Amino acid sequence: MNTPAIHLRAIEPEDLDLLYRIENDTALWNQGITNVPYSRFTLHEYIANTAADIYADRQVRLIIENEKHETVGIADLVNYEPRHCRAEIGLVIEQPFRRMGYARAAIVQLHNYACTVLHLHQLYVIIASDNDSAIRLFESLDYNHSSTLPHWLYDGKAYHDAILMQKFL
């Protein structure tokens, strides 16, 4: 599959609807640590008040756009640790754009940013152990399965394992 051309850009006030949709998508809650809905006001305040500076915020949220300037998702570097030169990747691709190579393209650009701008030593991701497509994607980008995190994620009914994957840059 050819990797599509994308552009990562800073979040803008016009991205409020996208952010609202993604942050309140309950299907995504079982894949990560968020499990509360966010109001439009809260997200508006986040957009207005974020410094968009990974050093100040310890995270950076970037919007993924395709060649047609359509917003296809969000790519995050979170849990930034300057002392240890590492950060965690967070990634959501909107449903109509999944399985088209946008996730791979965004991760490759995050790698480049992490290496050339932030001078990070490692990136890592925590993936639900049943998210086979995400695991395969990160494996194909030379991430190594470092450990299994037993009972890491709770869906309201049962606990599920997660996998910690790392890439040294």
Side-chain angles (χ1 to χ4, degrees), residues 52-112:
D53 177 356
I54 194 166
Y55 301 105
D57 297 334
R58 296 288 196 244
Q59 69 176 6
V60 64
R61 176 163 273 182
L62 301 165
I63 302 300
I64 307 165
E65 286 187 344
N66 65 14
E67 291 179 308
K68 299 176 186 175
H69 301 287
E70 297 170 307
T71 301
V72 301
I74 298 176
D76 299 324
L77 288 178
V78 298
N79 297 323
Y80 170 61
E81 289 290 338
R83 179 174 183 225
H84 302 294
C85 300
R86 68 174 175 244
E88 180 180 356
I89 290 180
L91 186 67
V92 175
I93 302 297
E94 289 265 84
Q95 187 64 42
F97 299 101
R98 291 184 185 160
R99 304 203 185 285
M100 300 171 90
Y102 291 115
R104 171 181 291 280
I107 295 166
V108 168
Q109 284 197 22
L110 285 175
H111 287 171
N112 187 31

Side-chain angles (χ1 to χ4, degrees), residues 1-12:
M1 174 193 307
N2 291 334
T3 303
I6 64 156
H7 173 69
L8 298 179
R9 63 165 176 81
I11 197 164
E12 298 285 350

Side-chain angles (χ1 to χ4, degrees), residues 2-166:
N2 291 334
T3 303
I6 64 156
H7 173 69
L8 298 179
R9 63 165 176 81
I11 197 164
E12 298 285 350
E14 295 78 19
D15 298 314
L16 178 61
D17 288 339
L18 169 73
L19 203 57
Y20 183 81
R21 196 168 47 251
I22 287 175
E23 293 294 348
N24 291 298
D25 184 348
T26 58
L28 297 174
W29 289 0
N30 292 337
Q31 301 297 316
I33 60 169
T34 299
N35 64 352
V36 294
Y38 285 93
S39 70
R40 285 186 186 280
F41 176 78
T42 299
L43 294 171
H44 178 271
E45 292 298 300
Y46 166 77
I47 292 170
N49 295 315
T50 187
D53 177 356
I54 194 166
Y55 301 105
D57 297 334
R58 296 288 196 244
Q59 69 176 6
V60 64
R61 176 163 273 182
L62 301 165
I63 302 300
I64 307 165
E65 286 187 344
N66 65 14
E67 291 179 308
K68 299 176 186 175
H69 301 287
E70 297 170 307
T71 301
V72 301
I74 298 176
D76 299 324
L77 288 178
V78 298
N79 297 323
Y80 170 61
E81 289 290 338
R83 179 174 183 225
H84 302 294
C85 300
R86 68 174 175 244
E88 180 180 356
I89 290 180
L91 186 67
V92 175
I93 302 297
E94 289 265 84
Q95 187 64 42
F97 299 101
R98 291 184 185 160
R99 304 203 185 285
M100 300 171 90
Y102 291 115
R104 171 181 291 280
I107 295 166
V108 168
Q109 284 197 22
L110 285 175
H111 287 171
N112 187 31
Y113 176 69
C115 284
T116 61
V117 177
L118 301 176
H119 307 290
L120 296 183
H121 173 63
Q122 70 174 292
L123 291 173
Y124 67 96
V125 62
I126 298 174
I127 303 171
S129 63
D130 63 352
N131 191 341
D132 295 329
S133 60
I135 293 167
R136 281 192 307 273
L137 170 63
F138 281 93
E139 285 175 341
S140 75
L141 291 165
D142 299 323
Y143 278 72
N144 294 310
H145 178 150
S146 296
S147 64
T148 299
L149 305 168
H151 297 231
W152 196 257
L153 303 170
Y154 182 64
D155 67 7
K157 297 176 186 166
Y159 288 93
H160 303 275
D161 295 350
I163 295 172
L164 171 66
M165 299 183 81
Q166 295 172 284

